[in-house]
Amino acid sequence: MTSPEITTPERTALDKALYDALNPLASALRARATGLPEERMWEAAPLEVTLSILATWKVVDAEVKHLTALAAKTAGSYGASYEQLGAAWGITRQGARKKWPDAVDKAAPGEPGESLVELCGGSATLSRDPSSGHWRWAGRAADGTQGRADSASRHATKEEAAAHAGAFLKEHAV
């Protein structure tokens, strides 16, 4: 897989979306730091404002790294290898293993085991029934709702169970 390239219009739209998302966060962070109301953020000296913006980008950068790690772990729970993760990120297999050490399930294929899916602020555990070979899931969503595959559900693959768990987690996101 090659690294995706974005077009100039896509980059422009992305920049606008990021700035639109950043401004309320920057205002809120600056208000907490200074004790001033959010609507007065832009009334400060330009140096103070730009440093507040820089500090807010640091918060956004940390969140993007967190979401990236969740995406890698989710891909790993679906069966992605470190080679595939590295190719998607434009790095080597070894680089992907170093960047996301817990992303790929270490259990041998076909072995009973458990996997964790984290999505939309919640998480679900996927488990394989050794007697039937079917997969089940159970989890807690971001809104606190607990869910599980019902007793009639027989998911033939881990990916199928993960899809059902993911739909539950998305439905109960806050």
Side-chain angles (χ1 to χ4, degrees), residues 85-99:
L85 294 175
W89 198 250
I91 58 176
T92 65
R93 173 183 55 82
Q94 295 88 345
R97 184 184 308 273
K98 184 176 179 183
K99 187 170 192 64

Side-chain angles (χ1 to χ4, degrees), residues 37-56:
E38 289 182 33
E39 60 273 3
R40 294 197 44 214
M41 180 204 170
W42 303 108
E43 295 175 14
L47 176 61
E48 291 178 32
V49 171
T50 55
L51 289 174
S52 292
I53 297 293
L54 180 62
T56 305

